[in-house]
Amino acid sequence: MPITKRKKQPCEDLYRGDIDATTLAHQINEVRTLLCGLGACDIEVGHVDTWTAWVDPKNEEAIRACDFVGHDGYPYFEESSIEQGYNVYRDALQKTRDVVNRVKPGTWVWVTETGWPATGGNFGLAIPSISNAEAYWKSVACQAFEEAHTFWYTLQDYSSSPSFGVVDASFQPLYNLTCDRLLVGLNVGSLRIYRVNEPIDESPAQNGSATEEQRPSSSSRSNAVDLMREEEKFSRHKIEQLAIVKEANLLVSLSNGLVSIHDLQTYKLQETLVKTKGAAAFAVTSNIVKDPSTGVPSIVSRLAVAVKRRVILWSWQDSELNSETSELTLVTGVKTLTWATGTRLIAGLTSSYVLVDVVTSAVTDIVGPGSIGGAPGQDGGRLGGVGVSTISYMGLGGAAPKPLATQLGEGEMLLAKDINTLFIDTDGQSLGRRQIPWAVAPEAVGYSYPYLLALQATKGTLEVRNPETLTLLQTISLPHASQLHIPQPNISLAHAGKGFLVISERCIWRMGALDYDSQIDALVDRGRLDEAISLLGMLEDALLKDKEGRLREIKMLKAQNLFDLRRYRESLDLFTEVSAPPERVIRLFPPIIAGHASSHQDSVDDAKREEDDNANGAVNNDAALEDSGLEKKRSTEETRSKDAQSSHPSTDGSQVVISDTASVSGVKSGAAAKESKLEGRDLKAATAELRPFLVSARTRLQRYLNPDGTLKDAQSISKPTVSRVQEAQEFLLAQAPQSTEERRQQMVETAKLVDTTLFRAYMFASPSLAGPLFRLDNFCDPDVVKEKLIETGRYNDLVDFFYGKRLHQQALELLERFGKKEQGDEKASQLAGPRRTVAYLQNLPPELIDLILRFIEWPLDEDPDLGMEVFLADSEYAESLPRQKVLDFLQRKDKGLAVKYLQHIIRELHDTTPSFHQKLIEIFVQGLKAGKFGDESARSKWERDTLDFLRSSRYYQPYKAIQMLPADDPRFYEARAIVLNRMGQHRQALDIYVFKLKDPNKAEEYCNQVQLAESSSPTLPNKGQRSPATVLEDKTTSIYHTLLSLYLSPPPPHEPQWGPALNILARHGARMPAYSTLDLIPEVLPIKELESYFRGRIRSANTIVNESRVVSALRHSLGFNEEARLRLGDGIPGGNGGRNRHVLITEDRVCGVCYKRFGGSAIKVLPK
């Protein structure tokens, strides 16, 4: 489009009636005069208005004043359907042109506004939609841009209604804005340029267009292409090859052995490359290349021409032709050229292939089988050491096969010659893949993402294959077709897989494909699951709706088919790989494994009757076992089956076809296998493979589900967000939940199904492995487990299961029944006796105390010591039991057991509860009063325990204890003395020892204990006061003084006891005040008897004096050492330097605290 300077007046004034034609013409002339006066006489002035205004005869004066006419045409506002949109647009534009040419011949008519809205309200038959807007663009814009100046309305107006914008808020196109042209070179040397019309999808469900009755007929837009122009003198000879260098705006042609360069817009010859005389073929490529020094990207286009043995190269960088050309000479004549990368070229020679690096000029031989050629000694063709070409061409005198090559996916190439093929990488190395099983040599090969194409000219067919599996997917009949033309996606995948052309002498087929989702559906419907999986793996995520979900679903279908074919390991491995919902896998098994979740409906009723019979038998044999109370729930899943359907053709005749034989036979064999029941060895083999899957599913469920059936918080899971957690949870479920609670319920039901099925699998194949399952948190159905374990006599495992499911009462009833049996059942030998019950009760939490006390009775009756382990064991549960309840129970059961328990909690657990201490004393006293002991040793032990507890305990109430002890019973004399001691009534206690027990030794020991307690009292003496243990004031009395008074001055009718009194004076006289002690001694007592008393007093006084002297000497020594440290320092490096240490103060020295300069200030050095 030429760039010119234009000026237009405000638009559509005539249509709105804001101005008349005469006034408008006057204003246009005024503007033109004004611009000319400013030196801009070359600027053309025009006006924009609707076509209805231009065809109005009264506005012809305005046309005469315009240098150009702006035409606005909107079929949408004329209530036209999308099918008639093109006709309405062309009719209006032609009417405007006719009027303008009649009124002012030679005046330009510009299309200044047109378009179709993507959103908005309906306008008659005109319906806004993205598909309709794209259809209008393809039918109108692509042609209008070629014919005249055209302005499309508009780039962006997403907030308007109706919205005519072609991009969204992010400036991303709402639909495909490309315009396709088809250039066809004829044998007569002419070049025809066609506009390719996009087919309009007339389905109301897709484009929202009017119904068939409302839609006007149209025949002008029924052609697939429209001939735009023909360059008859493009070449004087047959045009053999065409290619476009879009970035340089060039068209390259091969004709009569010469390559020529033409302008892409005008198709005029620019240059004939004389160096290419005798050319056989050429190849063009364009790639984005970064400058190694600056890193700036640029588009580099290259043209390679094969001229006999030479390859001649031209290149363009950002549309500028490089002046230098390069040339390479190969060993034999070059037949074909194919670009492998932007700098590497595959050259098909007469007898082999080579890889040419156009930058380094390196040539690499490619070694391949059979007619591919290469170094000698390599693998031969598929028919042996001799290639087929030797027989079919050389032997029969035919022409040599053409060497073919095509790009495949990223980094892959295919070489094909005759019926031999070789897959290589871009380095020319073989990929080691098998050859394509062609029966006849193809005429041409190509790659239309993601399929491999082969044109069989002799058969008149086009083969479509999967490049990974090499499976024939489709065969299309195209009579006399001889060429393939596929746009090469060298820069991007923008055109990948969007279509290609097949050419014959008289016809060109434009090949399209269904959308990829429909192709996947077709493959799945025909049972070609491997091909569907392969296709999904090759396609980009953006090209499919939910690629991950589709791939997972198809793999599960494949796994199900493998299962039907009795390939259990492969099936379950694939189910595990895709994390299949457990319910979907479990339902494949019969009811003996899957229960009511089984899809084997024909055997569900039989299994149910069998289960009922087993349950009835179990109830009859074990009447003591009760149902767990949990309701059995039957989980079902709807199955989906698809009948084989025919291929689905696309709108342009292309179709997806599935191969005929292999898949059909596979489906039939799978169906036949599915009809037979899964039993015997097959069932055992399948169950063995099912167990790892269930264990894996169980592990995955535990990531999201707590043992109590609640969902774990998202923060405690390794997944990053809540949405990812929910997605992972739903991955395990057969149906997507609607709410969090529904998700939780489904997760619990799934966990219950998994664990119960795993239990059935263990019991069916390896019953010994079922036990460990019960020792873990599980969601097994109690009814199912109970029935199976009773049926097999695995009562010990049943107890473990009951414990895991917290069905403790049922477990304890079972233990009691088997534990009390005199002759134990062989199957329940581990449950005989009370030991298993005691062990079970020890593992129950304190909140189940009522249950514990109920079932501990019979173990206490049979083995009291063993039964008491429930309360006395060194465990958290035993220590946490409610002690008052336990004590009340044991008191009712046996006083001895109560004493044993009280002694345990007081001595071992250090319980300081006064009531427990008081209760123990009460039981001790009652036992002594009752006197029911088996022998004297038992009575003595009971008495010792009573006295020891009275002495050691500090938490009972003495005044209550003394009331329980009879004053006149000799058995309680010492106990009363101990309690009186606790009450501080030492004289009464000593009275018992001296006069009732008449035991001076115990009396003296009592005094020693009291004296020791008083001396160790935390009360400290005042400053300057000696310790009571060292000296006593004369007026201070002691416990020994009290004992001495009882000996020397006893109450009547007791007599003085001189012997014990003198012993007290001799041993403890120094601890008693001298004045009061001497007053107690009668005058008639000889002084000689008091010798030991006086010696003790004198020795005690000397001790005090000597102690004072030692202390004084030690203090003097400490003072001397401190003085030395102050004067001389401690002599330790880095230690105290004494008063002799010094610090040097300079003018620059600053304080370490305030950072001020010291200067002449006085300094005081503080100690460290």
Side-chain angles (χ1 to χ4, degrees), residues 374-554:
Q378 301 297 322
D379 294 339
R382 288 186 288 118
L383 300 181
V386 179
V388 178
S389 60
T390 306
I391 302 174
S392 60
Y393 294 102
M394 297 180 64
L396 301 181
K402 182 180 180 181
L404 306 176
T406 183
Q407 288 184 340
L408 298 177
E410 185 175 356
E412 294 185 4
M413 298 281 296
L414 171 65
L415 309 182
K417 192 173 184 181
D418 196 4
I419 61 171
N420 296 116
T421 58
L422 178 66
F423 291 91
I424 63 173
D425 58 19
T426 53
D427 294 326
Q429 301 298 317
S430 173
L431 296 178
R433 294 164 61 179
R434 65 186 180 92
Q435 297 190 54
I436 300 174
W438 279 324
V440 233
E443 181 69 22
V445 295
Y447 179 73
S448 180
Y449 180 85
Y451 298 111
L452 174 63
L453 309 173
L455 185 61
Q456 302 284 358
T458 56
K459 299 169 62 176
T461 58
L462 177 69
E463 292 184 355
V464 182
R465 293 181 182 269
N466 184 326
E468 288 188 351
T469 64
L470 305 184
T471 305
L472 179 63
L473 300 177
Q474 184 174 5
T475 300
I476 304 174
S477 177
L478 300 172
H480 310 297
S482 59
Q483 296 183 46
L484 275 177
H485 176 75
I486 302 172
Q488 296 296 328
N490 294 320
I491 297 179
S492 68
L493 289 175
H495 299 287
K498 290 192 175 180
F500 56 94
L501 302 176
V502 182
I503 307 164
S504 70
E505 289 292 329
R506 303 287 298 173
C507 183
I508 298 176
W509 289 275
R510 183 190 181 196
M511 309 302 296
L514 292 170
D515 63 271
Y516 294 118
D517 289 295
S518 299
Q519 296 181 37
I520 299 298
D521 291 339
L523 290 171
V524 172
D525 290 342
R526 293 297 303 273
R528 302 301 302 274
L529 302 180
D530 285 327
E531 298 303 326
I533 293 171
S534 176
L535 180 58
L536 282 167
M538 292 186 291
L539 293 173
E540 298 290 337
D541 294 356
L543 301 177
L544 295 162
K545 299 175 182 178
D546 188 19
K547 174 183 175 179
E548 183 180 354
R550 293 293 302 278
L551 182 61
R552 177 174 180 254
E553 175 63 26
I554 294 173

Side-chain angles (χ1 to χ4, degrees), residues 18 25 80 157 172 338 428 452 650 674 737 908 1023 1035 1079:
D18 295 339
S80 168
D157 66 343
Q172 298 298 317
T338 306
L452 174 63
S650 62
K674 189 173 182 180
E908 302 296 333
K1023 186 176 180 180
K1035 296 181 179 180
D1079 285 345

Side-chain angles (χ1 to χ4, degrees), residues 1019-1072:
T1019 304
L1020 298 176
N1022 295 330
K1023 186 176 180 180
Q1025 193 176 30
R1026 291 187 179 93
S1027 171
T1030 304
V1031 63
L1032 293 172
E1033 296 294 334
D1034 290 343
K1035 296 181 179 180
T1036 304
T1037 60
S1038 69
I1039 186 64
Y1040 297 102
H1041 186 275
T1042 304
L1043 179 59
L1044 183 63
S1045 66
L1046 289 175
Y1047 282 142
L1048 298 178
S1049 302
H1054 303 289
E1055 296 292 333
Q1057 301 180 29
W1058 303 108
L1062 292 175
N1063 289 334
I1064 292 297
L1065 286 172
R1067 294 172 185 168
H1068 307 286
R1071 292 188 175 92
M1072 296 183 289

Side-chain angles (χ1 to χ4, degrees), residues 1072-1129:
M1072 296 183 289
Y1075 179 82
S1076 58
T1077 302
L1078 292 175
D1079 285 345
L1080 291 175
I1081 298 175
E1083 295 179 357
V1084 295
L1085 186 66
I1087 296 298
K1088 184 178 181 180
E1089 300 293 336
L1090 299 176
E1091 179 181 359
S1092 58
Y1093 166 71
F1094 290 118
R1095 284 182 182 275
R1097 293 289 300 184
I1098 293 171
R1099 189 179 293 113
S1100 177
N1102 290 337
T1103 299
I1104 295 173
V1105 173
N1106 291 335
E1107 180 183 347
S1108 300
R1109 290 174 180 175
V1110 171
V1111 170
S1112 177
L1114 290 174
R1115 287 178 177 173
H1116 182 268
S1117 177
L1118 289 174
F1120 180 80
N1121 290 337
E1122 289 298 324
E1123 183 68 18
R1125 290 179 62 193
L1126 287 173
R1127 293 180 178 276
L1128 304 177

